[in-house]
Amino acid sequence: MRRTDHKRAGGRTLAGDAYEAIRQAIRSGRFKPGDRLRFADLQALCGMSVTPVREALARLTAEGFTVLDDHRGYSVASLSLAELRDITAARQLCESEALRLSVEKGDADWEGRVIAAHHLMTRIPQVREDIPSAMREDWEARHAAFHAALISACGSPILLEICEKLFSRADHYRRMSISLSGGMRDVAGEHRRVMELALARDAEGAAAVLRDHYGRTAAALDSFFQSENGDPA
Protein backbone atom coordinates (compact mmCIF):
# COMPACT_ATOMS: atom_id res chain seq x y z
CA MET A 1 0.00 0.00 0.00
CA ARG A 2 1.43 3.37 -0.99
CA ARG A 3 2.03 6.02 1.62
CA THR A 4 0.28 9.24 0.78
CA ASP A 5 1.14 11.38 3.83
CA HIS A 6 3.92 13.92 3.42
CA LYS A 7 5.31 13.63 6.94
CA ARG A 8 6.25 10.63 9.03
CA ALA A 9 6.97 10.12 12.70
CA GLY A 10 10.06 11.88 13.96
CA GLY A 11 9.81 14.63 11.40
CA ARG A 12 10.87 12.43 8.47
CA THR A 13 9.33 13.19 5.10
CA LEU A 14 8.31 10.96 2.24
CA ALA A 15 10.63 12.89 -0.05
CA GLY A 16 13.48 12.21 2.38
CA ASP A 17 12.68 8.50 2.44
CA ALA A 18 12.48 8.44 -1.36
CA TYR A 19 15.81 10.22 -1.57
CA GLU A 20 17.49 7.64 0.67
CA ALA A 21 15.95 4.74 -1.24
CA ILE A 22 16.97 6.01 -4.67
CA ARG A 23 20.45 7.04 -3.55
CA GLN A 24 20.97 3.62 -1.99
CA ALA A 25 19.86 2.00 -5.25
CA ILE A 26 22.47 4.06 -7.10
CA ARG A 27 25.09 3.27 -4.48
CA SER A 28 24.47 -0.48 -4.63
CA GLY A 29 24.56 -0.57 -8.43
CA ARG A 30 20.86 -1.36 -8.90
CA PHE A 31 20.72 1.80 -11.03
CA LYS A 32 23.95 2.13 -12.97
CA PRO A 33 25.63 5.24 -14.43
CA GLY A 34 23.66 6.40 -17.48
CA ASP A 35 20.52 4.40 -16.63
CA ARG A 36 17.26 6.21 -17.34
CA LEU A 37 15.12 6.62 -14.22
CA ARG A 38 11.45 6.00 -14.92
CA PHE A 39 8.94 7.34 -12.45
CA ALA A 40 6.94 4.10 -12.45
CA ASP A 41 10.02 2.13 -11.43
CA LEU A 42 10.96 4.61 -8.72
CA GLN A 43 7.43 4.72 -7.35
CA ALA A 44 7.47 0.93 -7.11
CA LEU A 45 10.87 1.03 -5.41
CA CYS A 46 9.78 3.61 -2.86
CA GLY A 47 6.12 2.62 -2.53
CA MET A 48 5.10 6.23 -2.97
CA SER A 49 3.23 8.61 -5.23
CA VAL A 50 5.03 10.66 -7.87
CA THR A 51 5.32 13.87 -5.81
CA PRO A 52 7.88 12.74 -3.18
CA VAL A 53 9.80 10.85 -5.87
CA ARG A 54 10.00 14.01 -7.96
CA GLU A 55 11.21 15.99 -4.94
CA ALA A 56 13.83 13.36 -4.23
CA LEU A 57 15.09 13.49 -7.83
CA ALA A 58 15.37 17.28 -7.66
CA ARG A 59 17.63 16.92 -4.62
CA LEU A 60 19.69 14.13 -6.16
CA THR A 61 20.18 16.24 -9.29
CA ALA A 62 21.31 19.23 -7.25
CA GLU A 63 23.85 16.97 -5.56
CA GLY A 64 25.16 15.54 -8.84
CA PHE A 65 23.89 11.96 -8.45
CA THR A 66 21.35 12.29 -11.27
CA VAL A 67 20.95 14.52 -14.32
CA LEU A 68 17.88 15.93 -16.04
CA ASP A 69 17.57 16.00 -19.81
CA ASP A 70 14.60 17.85 -21.33
CA HIS A 71 14.06 15.01 -23.81
CA ARG A 72 14.95 11.88 -21.82
CA GLY A 73 13.98 12.90 -18.30
CA TYR A 74 16.09 11.85 -15.31
CA SER A 75 19.00 9.45 -15.47
CA VAL A 76 21.87 8.39 -13.24
CA ALA A 77 24.89 10.62 -13.70
CA SER A 78 27.58 8.96 -15.81
CA LEU A 79 30.30 8.65 -13.20
CA SER A 80 33.10 6.17 -12.69
CA LEU A 81 35.91 5.72 -10.22
CA ALA A 82 38.33 5.19 -13.09
CA GLU A 83 37.48 8.60 -14.53
CA LEU A 84 37.47 10.23 -11.09
CA ARG A 85 40.94 8.91 -10.31
CA ASP A 86 42.21 9.97 -13.74
CA ILE A 87 40.78 13.49 -13.41
CA THR A 88 42.13 13.82 -9.87
CA ALA A 89 45.64 12.71 -10.85
CA ALA A 90 45.65 15.06 -13.83
CA ARG A 91 44.45 18.00 -11.71
CA GLN A 92 47.02 17.28 -9.03
CA LEU A 93 49.76 17.23 -11.65
CA CYS A 94 48.71 20.19 -13.79
CA GLU A 95 47.22 22.57 -11.25
CA SER A 96 49.92 22.07 -8.65
CA GLU A 97 52.52 22.92 -11.31
CA ALA A 98 50.49 25.94 -12.43
CA LEU A 99 50.24 27.09 -8.82
CA ARG A 100 53.96 26.57 -8.22
CA LEU A 101 54.77 28.70 -11.27
CA SER A 102 52.28 31.38 -10.20
CA VAL A 103 53.81 31.61 -6.74
CA GLU A 104 57.25 32.03 -8.30
CA LYS A 105 56.18 34.52 -11.00
CA GLY A 106 53.19 36.30 -9.48
CA ASP A 107 53.37 40.01 -8.74
CA ALA A 108 51.32 42.31 -6.51
CA ASP A 109 48.43 42.26 -8.98
CA TRP A 110 48.33 38.47 -8.77
CA GLU A 111 48.30 38.65 -4.98
CA GLY A 112 45.40 41.09 -5.19
CA ARG A 113 43.43 38.76 -7.48
CA VAL A 114 43.92 35.83 -5.13
CA ILE A 115 42.93 37.80 -2.03
CA ALA A 116 39.89 39.34 -3.72
CA ALA A 117 38.68 36.02 -5.14
CA HIS A 118 39.07 34.32 -1.77
CA HIS A 119 37.22 37.13 -0.01
CA LEU A 120 34.27 36.95 -2.41
CA MET A 121 34.10 33.16 -2.06
CA THR A 122 33.93 33.38 1.74
CA ARG A 123 31.15 35.99 1.73
CA ILE A 124 28.43 33.48 0.82
CA PRO A 125 27.63 29.97 2.12
CA GLN A 126 28.85 26.96 0.20
CA VAL A 127 25.57 25.04 0.42
CA ARG A 128 21.94 25.80 -0.31
CA GLU A 129 19.53 26.67 2.49
CA ASP A 130 16.76 24.49 1.03
CA ILE A 131 19.11 21.55 0.32
CA PRO A 132 22.02 21.73 2.82
CA SER A 133 23.77 18.83 1.06
CA ALA A 134 23.82 20.65 -2.30
CA MET A 135 26.19 23.32 -3.53
CA ARG A 136 25.05 26.87 -4.26
CA GLU A 137 25.61 27.88 -7.89
CA ASP A 138 26.85 31.37 -6.98
CA TRP A 139 29.35 29.87 -4.54
CA GLU A 140 30.58 27.47 -7.21
CA ALA A 141 31.16 30.39 -9.59
CA ARG A 142 33.25 32.16 -6.96
CA HIS A 143 35.00 28.91 -6.10
CA ALA A 144 36.01 28.50 -9.74
CA ALA A 145 37.22 32.12 -9.81
CA PHE A 146 39.37 31.52 -6.73
CA HIS A 147 41.08 28.47 -8.18
CA ALA A 148 41.58 30.33 -11.46
CA ALA A 149 43.14 33.28 -9.62
CA LEU A 150 45.59 31.02 -7.79
CA ILE A 151 47.13 29.77 -11.04
CA SER A 152 46.60 32.89 -13.17
CA ALA A 153 50.24 34.00 -13.05
CA CYS A 154 51.76 30.73 -14.25
CA GLY A 155 52.63 32.25 -17.64
CA SER A 156 51.29 29.37 -19.76
CA PRO A 157 47.96 29.89 -21.59
CA ILE A 158 47.98 26.24 -22.66
CA LEU A 159 48.40 25.02 -19.07
CA LEU A 160 45.62 27.33 -17.94
CA GLU A 161 43.32 25.96 -20.65
CA ILE A 162 44.05 22.39 -19.55
CA CYS A 163 43.36 23.27 -15.91
CA GLU A 164 40.07 24.96 -16.81
CA LYS A 165 38.89 21.88 -18.72
CA LEU A 166 39.84 19.57 -15.85
CA PHE A 167 37.97 21.79 -13.38
CA SER A 168 34.87 21.49 -15.55
CA ARG A 169 35.24 17.71 -15.93
CA ALA A 170 35.29 17.37 -12.14
CA ASP A 171 31.97 19.19 -11.66
CA HIS A 172 29.67 16.21 -10.95
CA TYR A 173 32.21 14.63 -8.64
CA ARG A 174 32.71 17.89 -6.74
CA ARG A 175 28.96 18.24 -6.17
CA MET A 176 28.67 14.68 -4.96
CA SER A 177 31.60 15.03 -2.56
CA ILE A 178 29.87 17.92 -0.81
CA SER A 179 26.77 15.82 -0.19
CA LEU A 180 28.87 12.93 1.12
CA SER A 181 31.23 14.86 3.39
CA GLY A 182 28.44 15.66 5.86
CA GLY A 183 30.31 18.68 7.19
CA MET A 184 33.31 16.54 8.17
CA ARG A 185 35.66 18.45 5.86
CA ASP A 186 36.86 21.96 6.53
CA VAL A 187 36.81 23.04 2.88
CA ALA A 188 37.04 26.71 3.82
CA GLY A 189 40.12 25.95 5.89
CA GLU A 190 41.71 24.03 3.02
CA HIS A 191 41.18 26.97 0.67
CA ARG A 192 42.52 29.44 3.21
CA ARG A 193 45.65 27.34 3.79
CA VAL A 194 46.41 27.17 0.06
CA MET A 195 46.04 30.94 -0.20
CA GLU A 196 48.21 31.63 2.85
CA LEU A 197 51.04 29.44 1.60
CA ALA A 198 50.80 30.93 -1.89
CA LEU A 199 50.97 34.50 -0.57
CA ALA A 200 53.85 33.50 1.72
CA ARG A 201 55.65 32.42 -1.49
CA ASP A 202 55.92 28.81 -0.33
CA ALA A 203 55.50 27.29 -3.78
CA GLU A 204 56.10 23.67 -2.79
CA GLY A 205 53.95 23.91 0.33
CA ALA A 206 51.03 25.49 -1.53
CA ALA A 207 51.26 22.89 -4.30
CA ALA A 208 51.28 20.05 -1.76
CA VAL A 209 48.19 21.39 0.05
CA LEU A 210 46.38 21.82 -3.27
CA ARG A 211 47.13 18.21 -4.23
CA ASP A 212 45.81 17.07 -0.86
CA HIS A 213 42.70 19.24 -1.33
CA TYR A 214 41.82 17.42 -4.55
CA GLY A 215 42.71 14.07 -3.04
CA ARG A 216 40.21 14.57 -0.22
CA THR A 217 37.42 15.14 -2.73
CA ALA A 218 38.31 11.93 -4.55
CA ALA A 219 38.62 9.94 -1.32
CA ALA A 220 35.04 10.71 -0.23
CA LEU A 221 33.63 9.42 -3.51
CA ASP A 222 36.01 6.49 -3.67
CA SER A 223 34.79 5.20 -0.31
CA PHE A 224 31.14 5.78 -1.23
CA PHE A 225 31.22 3.84 -4.50
CA GLN A 226 33.37 0.99 -3.28
CA SER A 227 31.16 0.25 -0.28
CA GLU A 228 28.54 -2.46 -0.66
CA ASN A 229 30.02 -3.47 -4.04
CA GLY A 230 28.81 -0.24 -5.59
CA ASP A 231 31.99 0.52 -7.54
CA PRO A 232 30.92 1.92 -10.94
CA ALA A 233 34.40 1.77 -12.39
Side-chain angles (χ1 to χ4, degrees), residues 2-82:
R2 286 184 181 171
R3 299 187 294 267
T4 56
D5 56 312
H6 293 289
K7 291 253 187 179
R8 302 190 67 195
R12 292 166 53 196
T13 66
L14 289 181
D17 287 351
Y19 166 86
E20 293 295 342
I22 298 169
R23 196 179 81 149
Q24 179 60 27
I26 293 173
R27 177 179 185 172
S28 66
R30 176 171 179 173
F31 297 134
K32 301 184 182 304
D35 280 358
R36 184 179 176 184
L37 297 172
R38 295 174 174 81
F39 278 99
D41 295 337
L42 298 179
Q43 287 176 253
L45 170 69
C46 302
M48 300 177 189
S49 66
V50 70
T51 299
V53 169
R54 192 183 301 277
E55 292 176 8
L57 286 172
R59 178 179 172 184
L60 288 163
T61 299
E63 294 178 357
F65 288 96
T66 58
V67 294
L68 174 61
D69 184 284
D70 290 338
H71 301 291
R72 296 184 68 247
Y74 288 96
S75 59
V76 181
S78 296
L79 309 169
S80 78
L81 280 181

Side-chain angles (χ1 to χ4, degrees), residues 109-206:
D109 287 339
W110 168 74
E111 292 179 355
R113 291 196 298 273
V114 172
I115 293 170
H118 182 265
H119 174 74
L120 289 173
M121 181 177 62
T122 61
R123 297 301 293 172
I124 55 177
Q126 180 186 21
V127 299
R128 291 169 50 172
E129 290 184 6
D130 58 332
I131 307 177
S133 55
M135 184 168 57
R136 284 177 52 148
E137 294 301 325
D138 51 355
W139 182 89
E140 171 61 0
R142 296 186 184 189
H143 174 236
F146 170 67
H147 278 277
L150 283 171
I151 63 176
S152 62
C154 72
S156 172
I158 293 176
L159 183 56
L160 288 175
E161 181 181 352
I162 292 171
C163 291
E164 182 180 0
K165 289 181 178 179
L166 288 170
F167 189 93
S168 179
R169 286 285 296 273
D171 181 65
H172 275 315
Y173 300 104
R174 186 163 50 247
R175 292 173 187 274
M176 290 178 66
S177 73
I178 289 174
S179 72
L180 296 173
S181 63
M184 293 183 290
R185 277 184 68 188
D186 181 11
V187 175
E190 294 172 26
H191 286 141
R192 184 173 59 254
R193 185 57 177 159
V194 173
M195 179 188 69
E196 290 172 346
L197 289 170
L199 296 177
R201 302 295 170 157
D202 183 351
E204 298 304 327

